Amino acid sequence: MEDLTMRARGTLVIPANAAPRQEGLLSLGARVRAAREGRGISLRELARRVGVSPSLISQIERGLVMPSVGTLYAIANELDLNFDDMFNPTAHSSAQPEPQDGAAGPVLRAPDRKRIRLSGGVQWERLTPQHDAQVEFLHVIYEVGASSCPPDSLVRHPGKEYAFILSGQLGLQVGFEQYELGPGDSTSFSAQTPHRIWTIGDEPVRAIWVICNRTSP
């Protein structure tokens, strides 16, 4: 996967010479736009609900920038999208959809993982061979200095989160409490409680992350 660099104001700017590698961002933008228009929500209204500028939503839909974790969560919640929709480049298109119900086989090889790199130095890799409506099973990387959201803007969404730290030192805030997790530590918490995740120190964090029932009412 390409190593794109983060630019100002929490967005990932795509260099002009990266056009052949932009399929993931363009696909994400197209799905956000299709979901927004399918629900009859204007660009300005979605921006208002998410708490960002209309310009940022426009840039995301055109595949020019990647949102932060917090913004992506907010967009997904407003448009009732799960993260598999965002990983899957054939979703909401005329292309043949991914095999379901185990038709793809039980094994996913490392080079075949679907990946998405978010603003703020966060990368998600889907670990399931195909879509699972109940669980999002991810390998997560938080680069040095990365965070899921600003300290004064915690994230919340439906579901429950579970994580196991493979390497690095992870900061976690759930509600008013803060924790530091290292290799071998694990956590579980209600994602409806405002929370924030960030890297501590000068080593990236790698973790296995599970989000259950994120799309539950």
Side-chain angles (χ1 to χ4, degrees), residues 120-121 142-147 167-172 179-183 196-206:
Y142 275 74
E143 298 173 0
V144 176
S147 65
S167 62
Q169 298 292 318
L170 184 77
L172 171 67
Y179 309 89
E180 181 173 339
L181 290 78
R196 178 175 180 261
I197 302 156
W198 67 95
T199 303
I200 298 173
D202 57 2
E203 178 185 354
V205 174
R206 295 177 180 270

Side-chain angles (χ1 to χ4, degrees), residues 1-169:
M1 182 178 178
E2 62 188 305
D3 185 16
L4 302 175
T5 55
M6 187 180 66
R7 297 294 189 253
R9 300 186 65 82
T11 57
L12 187 70
V13 179
I14 308 304
N17 61 2
R21 301 181 179 183
Q22 288 186 37
E23 180 182 354
L25 286 179
L26 291 171
S27 182
L28 170 63
R31 289 194 294 280
V32 169
R33 180 176 180 178
R36 175 180 62 78
E37 292 179 344
R39 287 161 177 75
I41 302 172
S42 71
L43 188 148
R44 288 186 177 277
E45 175 61 15
L46 178 60
R48 185 193 67 78
R49 295 184 187 183
V50 173
V52 299
S53 70
S55 174
L56 178 56
I57 296 295
S58 175
Q59 289 176 314
I60 292 169
E61 291 189 351
R62 288 182 290 146
L64 299 179
V65 301
M66 179 63 77
S68 67
V69 175
T71 300
L72 189 61
Y73 267 122
I75 290 173
N77 289 338
E78 287 296 335
L79 300 180
D80 195 28
L81 291 170
N82 60 50
F83 291 119
D84 189 72
D85 293 330
M86 300 177 188
F87 282 124
N88 183 0
T90 63
H92 309 301
S93 74
S94 59
Q96 185 174 352
E98 281 190 327
Q100 301 293 314
D101 301 324
V107 176
L108 176 67
R109 304 297 179 185
D112 299 328
R113 292 177 191 161
K114 296 184 183 297
R115 298 170 170 85
I116 188 168
R117 184 182 175 91
L118 302 170
S119 172
V122 181
Q123 178 174 297
W124 290 335
E125 299 180 353
R126 197 187 74 179
L127 297 179
T128 50
Q130 60 275 323
H131 169 62
D132 188 321
Q134 303 302 318
V135 176
E136 286 153 0
F137 181 33
L138 307 169
H139 175 226
V140 175
I141 300 172
Y142 275 74
E143 298 173 0
V144 176
S147 65
S148 61
C149 57
D152 60 349
S153 182
L154 276 62
V155 174
R156 58 181 297 177
H157 55 87
K160 189 164 184 177
E161 298 197 25
Y162 303 82
F164 178 81
I165 310 304
L166 300 172
S167 62
Q169 298 292 318

